[in-house]
Amino acid sequence: MFEATLKRVFGYEEFRAGQREIIEAVVEGQDVLAIMPTGGGKSLTFQLPSYLKNNGLTIIVSPLLSLIEDQILHIRERGERGVARLTSMESLEEKQEVLNHLKRFRFLYLSPEQLAVPYVTRALANANVQMLVIDEAHCISQWGHEFRPEYARLGELRKQIGSPQCMAVTATAPENVKRDIIEKLALFTPAQFVHSANRPEIRLIVERLEKEEKIGRLKALVRDIPKPAVVYTATRREAEKLSSELEDAMFYHGGMSTEDRRLVQSQFLRDEVPIMVCTSAFGMGVNKDNVRSVIHYQIPATVEAYMQEIGRAGRDGNPAFAVLLYAEGDERIQQFLIDQQYPKDEQIRNAYFEMENGSTLSQLPRLLRMGEDDPVFLLLKQLLAERSLQEAIDWVKDRKRARYRQLGQMMDVALINTCRRAYLLRYFSEEKVDQEDCCDVCGPIVFPETPDLVRKNVTEWKKRLTQIFSFE
Ligand SMILES: [Zn+2]
């Protein structure tokens, strides 16, 4: 029966490794914690049970609008119309329309903020919810690499909508994050599925360089390395700058409009662009099997981010390459980015001072000169609600220290003189594996000589892009 549904709804002949066990647990009504690598087919594991049960609504909480858009696109593409979303993009009327007709839908995607809106919570409390899915569940943990304060309330919201069956999914979660997910979501003796973080088809390479050598090395590397290739940078500006210096490259980052991002992404998906220079915004939910190489021009902030990003290479199972270019001091940009994600002591003091002196929460953004949607402000708001001034200051200090420590662990990947794969697996509490073509420490890694992609459209898209972004 599982296979028949798989074929009929999704058009696949067989399950990928691990999918079936998860679906069985879901169908039995168990709470589930599934840790599956990016590209392992996790969305299928919470979508397929809906067709087996045909009873009620599956709610999927997802942290990013782009992720929600991608998933809905995929669902619609296979002809499913019973899917809706509640995000900051919908008007109040559109939201009401969805909430008034919940019976029409099989899947409802929403952001954690939307689930917390009282009239949304109420409507869902009265609906027939079959399952609550928390995607990117690691965001719930303060020890995770992408902690989101809005995720912290999900356990309580789950209760408010009647404690439906719950499935938490994420690509990576070390032991302490796993424990946090189970506790915060109040998962009841969950069935746990952990797929190895190891991606044997990806060869791991670190090149240590001087700062001035990096751009030259990158240019040579993208000539030699098998393509399609993704080059990750830490900032939007860097992504734009590098893409202008490389031939046949386009850039992608979260600051572009949805249309521009979609255009660039689809060209890359169709192999019309061999090199994509991007920030970490790229790749979430992108289904491209034949990416051959991922280059990090700057060191990522965490081992989790690194694994997720290199995991976009070699999904077809064929050999792929991950190259990290590291120059001493590269970590400073990440330190700077971490600092920017937290309120400064002075901002915290000002916020508490204002509140004590009779200001209201809604006046606060103006008084502190912060946007009301600014994640730093949202965090500040949460601190105000839960902690005293000194506790808030200490909490931020602790968090930053933890983030620096994570950055340090990522730097170890670049600096160690022992097997990099063994280090990464140990990080995820896994045993080391012995394999050929492992990493540059274990033995030299040679790029195969592959013919370049057909570039029939290169001139065409360069022209089009110039018109769109006018960067020339
Ligand atoms: Zn190795």
Side-chain angles (χ1 to χ4, degrees), residues 204 418-422 435 438-443:
L204 307 167
T418 54
C419 175
R420 303 190 202 282
R421 191 176 307 269
Q435 67 171 71
C438 174
C439 68
D440 60 291
V441 180
C442 288

Side-chain angles (χ1 to χ4, degrees), residues 32 85 107 117 200 226 247 256 260 266 290 352 376 415 462:
V32 169
R85 66 176 206 187
F107 305 113
V117 174
E247 264 176 61
M256 295 155 62
D260 289 349
S266 71
N290 68 339
Y352 278 77
V376 178
L415 299 175
K462 271 241 151 153

